[in-house]
Amino acid sequence: DAGITQSPRYKITETGRQVTLMCHQTWSHSYMFWYRQDLGHGLRLIYYSAAADITDKGEVPDGYVVSRSKTENFPLTLESATRSQTSVYFCASSEQGSPHGANVLTFGAGSRLTVL
Amino acid sequence: LAKTTQPISMDSYEGQEVNITCSHNNIATNDYITWYQQFPSQGPRFIIQGYKTKVTNEVASLFIPADRKSSTLSLPRVSLSDTAVYYCLVGPSGSARQLTFGSGTQLTVLP
């Protein structure tokens, strides 16, 4: 099916382990984003990408690494997971040339990560 | 980037019209105003976008005064299924850099 998919949907890991959350979109959208959502904080931007091989930090990038070698994929890696990174992670994409412009994002279903 | 301010929560009853206002005092000339809706355990989804005056679609209306320093999302005759968090975003349509959502407004529709 076309759309934006995240995997895994649920993940439990331990402190210090490396975790990668995957995001794949089928629209060839230029922009892709990673947000985390915690109670009381709304959605906070971790990283975003304007195109393949172009990434930039958001509000809360510490402890995360991203890459974008292909337009359709935007993986998020926690190199050494900490308990404070327990959260729900949302990936999103948008396209500058779409009818409503680049700031209309389409979100994935989210990945719930628990770090023990 | 324009900072937005919304009420933290609002309650309404089924069948009523609900208006949620967002303040964005430092909105830039090329910024658009976009509203999202988020249900529990789901990602936000786009509701409506506007630049000035009034925009209406099948879901909601968006009212933007001439000075564009605020905007009001209007939901006609809400139902229980409209209970969600509503976010206001401000930014240029030609660039999606650093789109920040803030904490949004939790709308609770009561029977």
Side-chain angles (χ1 to χ4, degrees):
Chain A
D1 289 337
I4 183 164
T5 55
Q6 294 183 231
S7 62
R9 292 291 314 280
Y10 302 92
K11 176 74 176 179
I12 299 174
T13 191
E14 294 177 337
T15 300
R17 291 192 181 267
Q18 183 180 79
V19 176
T20 296
L21 306 180
M22 305 300 295
C23 180
H24 175 78
Q25 51 109 350
T26 60
W27 298 298
S28 298
H29 282 173
S30 302
Y31 290 98
M32 295 189 76
F33 307 82
W34 274 107
Y35 290 87
R36 62 176 289 174
Q37 187 166 40
D38 308 290
L39 279 174
H41 287 281
L43 285 152
R44 292 184 290 177
L45 181 65
I46 305 171
Y47 271 96
Y48 65 96
S49 168
D53 297 321
I54 301 175
T55 63
D56 208 346
K57 297 178 180 179
E59 303 170 80
V60 290
D62 293 343
Y64 303 95
V65 174
V66 293
S67 62
R68 194 156 175 218
S69 57
K70 294 183 178 181
T71 299
E72 61 268 27
N73 296 324
F74 191 38
L76 176 73
T77 298
L78 290 66
E79 292 190 305
S80 179
T82 65
R83 289 200 182 92
S84 64
Q85 292 177 309
T86 293
S87 186
V88 180
Y89 292 85
F90 287 102
C91 178
S93 70
S94 71
E95 180 55 54
Q96 181 173 343
S98 65
H100 290 287
N103 56 6
V104 174
L105 279 59
T106 302
F107 283 81
S111 294
R112 183 176 294 273
L113 176 67
T114 300
V115 183
L116 302 176
Chain B
L1 293 167
K3 177 179 170 57
T4 61
T5 303
Q6 303 175 232
I8 294 173
S9 64
M10 295 179 68
D11 290 342
S12 181
Y13 290 95
E14 281 190 292
Q16 290 188 332
E17 178 184 75
V18 171
N19 296 309
I20 304 174
T21 297
C22 179
S23 297
H24 28 80
N25 290 323
N26 60 339
I27 189 169
T29 302
N30 60 344
D31 283 346
Y32 282 71
I33 300 156
T34 311
W35 285 80
Y36 290 80
Q37 175 190 56
Q38 185 181 25
F39 297 113
S41 302
Q42 296 183 24
R45 67 174 185 138
F46 167 78
I47 301 176
I48 197 165
Q49 184 185 69
Y51 183 79
K52 61 180 179 180
T53 63
K54 176 184 174 182
V55 179
T56 298
N57 62 21
E58 63 278 5
V59 176
S61 294
L62 179 59
F63 298 92
I64 304 168
D67 66 6
R68 304 202 325 125
K69 293 186 176 183
S70 66
S71 58
T72 299
L73 174 72
S74 182
L75 304 173
R77 294 188 300 279
V78 294
S79 64
L80 296 176
S81 63
D82 292 315
T83 294
V85 179
Y86 292 83
Y87 296 94
C88 159
L89 261 74
V90 174
S93 68
S95 173
R97 298 197 295 171
Q98 291 252 13
L99 289 179
T100 55
F101 274 74
S103 298
T105 298
Q106 170 68 58
L107 171 66
T108 301
V109 180
L110 305 168

